Amino acid sequence: MTDLKSKAREVYDRGFCVIDSIWSPADRDLAERAMADCWEKRGRPSLAGFGLSIHPLLEFLPEMTPLFDKPVLLDALAMVLRDEPFLAHTGARLSNEESADAIGWHEHYAWDKSRLPGREKIERVLFACYTRGSSPEVGSLVVYPRRYDEPMQVAPAGLHDHWPGQIAVAAPPGSCVIFDTALWHTAHRGTKPGFRYLWGTHIQGKSNPMPHPEDNTSKRPEIEEFTAKSPRLRSFIRDR
Ligand SMILES: [Fe+2]
């Protein structure tokens, strides 16, 4: 069984953790089909450059709602945030061998960065699902580790520069990467041709009312149907 306490500790000590076996092969298949269908319906646009962005993910693909109903994932998010988790943003990126070799260093901490040193807890995290994992072949999530209470680091001048100390995250298919919004990260194209499916979220603690420029929600009625049988999922998606 996954030791969620030590996983949460990793997010505080180095900015991220990987939790294995959250999604089954059937779950991964559901996500890939939904994203590939969306690409088809939009007329198979070129994936050169950034690739296809699907935001808010649940507005376009509400059939992915059941993928959030994972107790281990919800427990892990609660442990990292030391709060009840709320789904504040959903999005996805579909890319392939034609896409840029890297998306460039960035972070998602949109609030006053002088809050970071000495903060008591992490207020908002992302989680990312790479349906085929994060690896050099499929494409890697690359991060620059940080402690939760460090001042914001200064990234390399070139968005695509190698940053000594950077880590290419190794994550198997079906795993989840949870990371602090203050973590600098980029993503590299894989060495193997083919689609790279990423879907992910921002999760905020319910006791933190601060708005964030990337907040997005969906009112699609299908979401209510999927959450009707799971009060915990409903609370995660709807009750801020
Ligand atoms: Fe990002």
Side-chain angles (χ1 to χ4, degrees):
M1 216 166 89
T2 310
D3 176 359
L4 293 185
K5 237 187 198 170
S6 64
K7 291 293 176 186
R9 193 71 250 163
E10 284 177 34
V11 184
Y12 278 77
D13 289 344
R14 61 174 189 163
F16 71 99
C17 75
V18 179
I19 301 179
D20 292 354
S21 307
I22 299 285
W23 291 284
S24 68
D27 289 334
R28 279 141 48 199
D29 199 44
L30 187 159
E32 291 190 357
R33 276 169 198 259
M35 290 172 63
D37 282 355
C38 182
W39 177 70
E40 297 268 353
K41 279 187 194 140
R42 290 186 188 185
R44 298 175 161 237
S46 160
L47 298 178
F50 185 78
L52 176 69
S53 165
I54 309 171
H55 288 79
L57 177 65
L58 289 186
E59 181 62 30
F60 292 103
L61 303 175
E63 66 268 37
M64 288 178 66
T65 306
L67 301 180
F68 293 85
D69 200 7
K70 303 291 174 189
V72 172
L73 174 61
L74 299 181
D75 288 347
L77 294 168
M79 225 170 256
V80 174
L81 294 166
R82 300 175 187 165
D83 199 350
E84 259 197 82
F86 176 75
L87 182 64
H89 166 105
T90 58
R93 174 181 177 238
L94 182 63
S95 55
N96 68 2
E97 65 280 2
E98 292 172 9
S99 306
D101 56 357
I103 58 172
W105 289 106
H106 65 285
E107 39 80 18
H108 298 266
Y109 196 86
W111 300 315
D112 178 4
K113 292 177 173 60
S114 70
R115 294 167 56 95
L116 289 170
R119 72 179 163 159
E120 285 177 4
K121 64 177 186 177
I122 293 171
E123 315 95 317
R124 183 172 170 117
V125 293
L126 294 95
F127 82 67
C129 171
Y130 302 90
T131 60
R132 300 179 182 190
S134 167
S135 68
E137 295 76 40
V138 188
S140 292
L141 169 70
V142 178
V143 303
Y144 189 79
R146 59 167 287 116
R147 254 185 74 87
Y148 73 103
D149 55 357
E150 271 183 64
M152 183 55 87
Q153 302 111 326
V154 179
L159 273 183
H160 300 287
D161 288 356
H162 178 86
W163 191 345
Q166 71 180 41
I167 294 176
V169 176
S175 64
C176 180
V177 187
I178 299 177
F179 57 103
D180 187 352
T181 41
L183 184 76
W184 282 98
H185 59 284
T186 178
H188 289 181
R189 187 176 60 204
T191 53
K192 247 180 24 188
F195 281 150
R196 177 180 187 266
Y197 301 87
L198 158 67
W199 63 276
T201 67
H202 288 212
I203 314 290
Q204 191 159 316
K206 285 190 184 177
S207 64
N208 172 13
M210 286 193 292
H212 186 285
E214 291 179 87
D215 284 340
N216 68 25
T217 51
S218 168
K219 298 267 183 266
R220 288 286 292 265
E222 297 94 324
I223 297 173
E224 313 314 319
E225 288 164 30
F226 285 121
T227 57
K229 285 189 198 134
S230 171
R232 191 179 187 193
L233 184 65
R234 187 174 168 80
S235 166
F236 173 66
I237 294 183
R238 283 291 181 243
D239 305 336
R240 188 161 195 170

